[in-house]
Amino acid sequence: MAFIPGSAASATSEVELSISARDLRGSDTFSKSDPMCVTFIQPFGTTEWQEFHRTETIQDNHNPDFVSKIVLPYKFEEQQPIKFEIYDVDSTSQRLSDHDFLGFAVCNLGQIVSKGKVKIRLRLGNKEISSSIIIEAEELVANNDEVVLQLTGTNLDKKDWFGKSDPFIEIYKFTDSGDCTLVHKTEVIKNTLNPRWKRFFVPIKILCNGDYDRSLKFACLDWNSSGSHSRIGEFQTTLRQLSENNPKFDLIHPDKKKKSNYKNSGVIQVEHYEIYKVFTFMDFIKGGLQIHCTVAIDFTGSNGDPSHPQSLHFINPTAMNSYEQAINSVVSIIQDYDSDKQFPVLGFGARIPPNGQVSHEFFVNMNPANPYCNGVVGVLEAYRNCIRQVQLFGPTNFSPVIEHVIKFAKSYDDGKNYFILLILTDGVITDMPQTIKSIVAASGLPISIIIVGIGNAEFDAMEVLDADRVPLESHGVRAQRDIVQFVPFNKFLSQGDPRTARVRLAKEVLAEVPRQVVSYMRSRGFAPQPAQQNISELPPNPDQL
């Protein structure tokens, strides 16, 4: 995601939450409760709950369906904790302490979005009760669809002395002030009076702000190398008229239409018209897209002897090192989107038991038969145990772990699975050509690669892999998509409160994943599965209580 000073980064999307409660307990002696739901959020970078929304109060109902909706910006790259409290309203007082507390539930917004509809048992203190809350998420989207057009021209006016015309088309929309704004330009087709332009996509909200009856102007011009292009003719229409059965439009030159024998300067026909449904990241998540995360950890000797406090791999019983913080930051968010929360963890650059051979692709839990770690807690536990069993060595090779994930992505290249490789490293990469080759190969597969730089080394090579400015290329083959995101962790440790460093890290490194998922699905023509309709019951998360 580009950094543009003076601008604002938009949320992944906006979601609407609908809330119901079931089997609420009665707190009134002679009547049922009058429930209200209050929602609390933790703004980014804070750990304090802030009230965000209150529903209406529903009289005498232990199974309320609240009409009042919650509208929240949904951001994949953030954890977004959310808490729901149910009260029995006993008066007109705005103080929550004046009403009977019926229970609460806590989860992450991503958990609701990934399931579509969830049911959570309410709690009173540390005790789970029989009452429950049901939350359903629905994305609020403007018109993100695109129109696909292909245009042909017939008998265009000849504009060049020593050849035919070099025509292209410019499309303009009329603004509310009556001005015209250019929204699309086709390619130039050289030396023809009967051009057939390539199909092109234009977002409908760009083309006409979603208004199918807004006036559009199509201008056909003859390209000149001087930049002073000659007008062949133009016509006005609307998106609705373009949708008719292969319509034809006369090109009219403003200076020629006064001539009595003037008919047109050629004809433009719409050869292909299609509305292309643009799916969002949330569409795929709600359709059951499985996100699989593999963690790869740098165990090279440049990290320092792990028995010394100066080492980046030093295990301090009272504080997490940078590797642990980075694992905790990213995996704790991704696990909300992984149905079984089982993560394979790879190590590279170490001498491993039993014989001390150097390996650039070994399982950190030392169990090839079952390399999976259960949730972020299991990943951290495997990492800490591994430090005591391996000898840090070298060099720093990335391609083996990338190739490891490529094997799985090739096997599950069906639009239902997406793979994230999180590489944590401290130093300069030593197999750059092989790594670039692997990334180029991975760019056509359902893979995103996140590289987190640990420590104070120079990470210039990682910026090359990030490829925000220059696409990666290997042996004449260019990467199909930009799939790498690099972030140096020390940047966050040096900014403000170190307690929120991991939150800021997760926000930045995961920000590009939704775009990368959608770009891959679009490149392969994959549509999301229908949204899951079943209600998923979430277990309590002790860390959020």
Side-chain angles (χ1 to χ4, degrees):
M1 182 178 293
F3 169 62
I4 306 174
S7 70
S10 61
T12 302
S13 57
E14 208 170 38
V15 295
E16 177 186 84
L17 301 183
S18 300
I19 302 173
S20 301
R22 294 293 180 264
D23 300 316
L24 297 179
R25 66 184 181 91
S27 60
D28 297 335
T29 305
F30 299 107
S31 65
K32 295 181 179 179
S33 296
D34 305 323
M36 169 184 70
C37 182
V38 183
T39 304
F40 298 81
I41 62 171
Q42 290 181 358
F44 178 73
T46 72
T47 57
E48 300 295 325
W49 290 111
Q50 293 186 11
E51 183 178 329
F52 181 77
H53 178 270
R54 295 188 185 191
T55 67
E56 76 278 17
T57 300
I58 297 182
Q59 302 293 321
D60 296 328
N61 197 324
H62 288 169
N63 298 286
D65 297 312
F66 298 101
V67 174
S68 180
K69 311 295 184 185
I70 304 169
V71 176
L72 278 169
Y74 160 61
K75 303 178 182 180
F76 170 81
E77 67 272 18
E78 293 181 26
Q79 198 144 32
Q80 294 186 269
I82 185 167
K83 179 168 68 170
F84 305 91
E85 294 185 351
I86 305 292
Y87 290 87
D88 174 19
V89 177
D90 292 323
S91 68
T92 58
S93 172
Q94 294 299 304
R95 292 194 302 268
L96 295 178
S97 58
D98 290 342
H99 308 293
D100 293 327
F101 182 61
L102 301 182
F104 75 100
V106 183
C107 64
N108 295 323
L109 183 58
Q111 291 176 293
I112 305 173
V113 168
S114 65
K115 302 296 184 183
K117 191 172 186 178
V118 301
K119 179 180 180 181
I120 312 174
R121 295 283 286 271
L122 295 182
R123 303 181 71 89
L124 282 172
N126 293 324
K127 180 182 178 183
E128 189 173 275
I129 60 177
S130 59
S131 304
S132 59
I133 186 170
I134 299 172
I135 310 115
E136 183 171 6
E138 182 177 0
E139 187 177 21
L140 299 177
V141 200
N143 191 336
N144 288 326
D145 294 347
E146 295 179 340
V147 61
V148 187
L149 294 172
Q150 184 165 32
L151 307 175
T152 59
T154 305
N155 298 326
L156 303 187
D157 282 355
K158 180 176 177 292
K159 289 292 184 178
D160 296 336
W161 287 103
F162 302 106
K164 300 175 182 178
S165 296
D166 304 322
F168 67 98
I169 286 181
E170 293 180 337
I171 304 176
Y172 296 81
K173 69 178 176 183
F174 285 88
T175 65
D176 291 337
S177 63
D179 296 328
C180 285
T181 300
L182 179 65
V183 293
H184 186 77
K185 184 185 295 185
T186 70
E187 78 279 13
V188 176
I189 300 182
K190 294 294 189 72
N191 196 32
T192 181
L193 301 181
N194 298 287
R196 185 173 186 265
W197 290 278
K198 295 178 182 177
R199 290 187 184 185
F200 57 90
F201 293 75
V202 185
I204 290 177
K205 63 183 177 185
I206 299 281
L207 180 66
C208 59
N209 292 2
D211 181 359
Y212 278 56
D213 295 310
R214 178 179 290 238
S215 292
L216 305 171
K217 182 173 78 172
F218 285 63
C220 186
L221 300 100
D222 172 40
W223 179 86
N224 292 308
S225 58
S226 65
S228 178
H229 309 307
S230 304
R231 184 174 298 274
I232 296 175
E234 61 188 46
F235 64 90
Q236 290 189 22
T237 184
T238 66
L239 185 56
R240 193 177 307 280
Q241 291 172 333
L242 292 173
S243 70
E244 296 171 0
N245 188 26
N246 303 115
K248 296 181 179 180
F249 301 93
D250 289 334
L251 283 173
I252 304 299
H253 193 291
D255 296 336
K256 294 182 178 181
K257 64 180 181 180
K258 298 178 183 178
K259 298 180 180 180
S260 59
N261 61 344
Y262 177 70
K263 182 178 180 182
N264 60 45
S265 294
V267 175
I268 299 295
Q269 181 172 3
V270 179
E271 187 174 285
H272 179 84
Y273 171 95
E274 177 186 356
I275 296 299
Y276 179 85
K277 172 68 176 176
V278 177
F279 298 107
T280 66
F281 175 70
M282 188 183 297
D283 289 330
F284 289 100
I285 290 294
K286 292 179 70 174
L289 175 68
Q290 292 297 301
I291 294 183
H292 311 277
C293 179
T294 298
V295 181
I297 302 174
D298 181 345
F299 288 101
T300 56
S302 54
N303 284 279
D305 188 336
S307 64
H308 296 163
Q310 293 77 21
S311 171
L312 294 171
H313 280 307
F314 178 70
I315 303 298
N316 186 335
T318 61
M320 287 186 176
N321 64 34
S322 294
Y323 278 93
E324 292 172 303
Q325 290 183 63
I327 291 169
N328 194 36
S329 301
V330 181
V331 177
S332 62
I333 290 179
I334 294 175
Q335 70 179 359
D336 284 345
Y337 300 87
D338 192 301
S339 59
D340 60 9
K341 297 176 174 45
Q342 299 296 305
F343 300 100
V345 184
L346 301 174
F348 59 92
R351 300 178 67 180
I352 64 173
N355 301 317
Q357 74 270 24
V358 177
S359 177
H360 297 290
E361 182 191 346
F362 62 92
F363 293 114
V364 168
N365 70 353
M366 300 299 169
N367 184 2
N370 183 16
Y372 296 96
C373 302
N374 186 21
V376 65
V377 174
V379 174
L380 290 170
E381 181 180 2
Y383 161 71
R384 292 161 186 157
N385 290 336
C386 182
I387 285 293
R388 295 191 289 267
Q389 300 180 63
V390 302
Q391 183 182 36
L392 306 193
F393 202 71
T396 307
N397 293 346
F398 282 8
S399 57
V401 295
I402 297 174
E403 291 294 330
H404 177 96
V405 176
I406 283 176
K407 293 176 185 176
F408 288 93
K410 284 182 176 178
S411 299
Y412 294 93
D413 186 15
D414 55 4
K416 300 177 183 178
N417 297 272
Y418 197 87
F419 297 81
I420 295 175
L421 172 60
L422 171 64
I423 301 176
L424 309 176
T425 183
D426 84 307
V428 177
I429 187 171
T430 52
D431 67 338
M432 192 68 168
Q434 295 88 342
T435 294
I436 292 177
K437 181 180 178 181
S438 295
I439 292 173
V440 170
S443 68
L445 295 168
I447 297 176
S448 289
I449 300 173
I450 298 167
I451 304 173
V452 178
I454 307 294
N456 297 310
E458 292 294 329
F459 291 110
D460 293 346
M462 306 306 169
E463 299 290 354
V464 174
L465 298 181
D466 200 321
D468 282 338
R469 295 180 178 85
V470 181
L472 288 180
E473 188 172 307
S474 176
H475 302 292
V477 179
R478 178 169 288 192
Q480 298 180 36
R481 300 181 297 126
D482 175 15
I483 63 170
V484 178
Q485 171 77 345
F486 168 73
V487 176
F489 188 36
N490 270 11
K491 176 177 109 174
F492 300 95
L493 292 175
S494 62
Q495 293 177 355
D497 186 351
R499 293 175 298 179
T500 63
R502 73 177 191 89
V503 183
R504 297 194 302 272
L505 168 71
K507 177 179 173 65
E508 180 151 338
V509 300
L510 293 174
E512 292 192 10
V513 170
R515 178 185 60 79
Q516 291 170 355
V517 170
V518 172
S519 72
Y520 166 75
M521 296 298 180
R522 176 168 179 171
S523 71
R524 296 295 305 276
F526 288 134
Q529 299 296 309
Q532 300 175 7
Q533 301 298 322
N534 57 307
I535 301 177
S536 301
E537 186 160 353
L538 297 181
N541 185 345
D543 295 336
Q544 296 175 324
L545 302 179

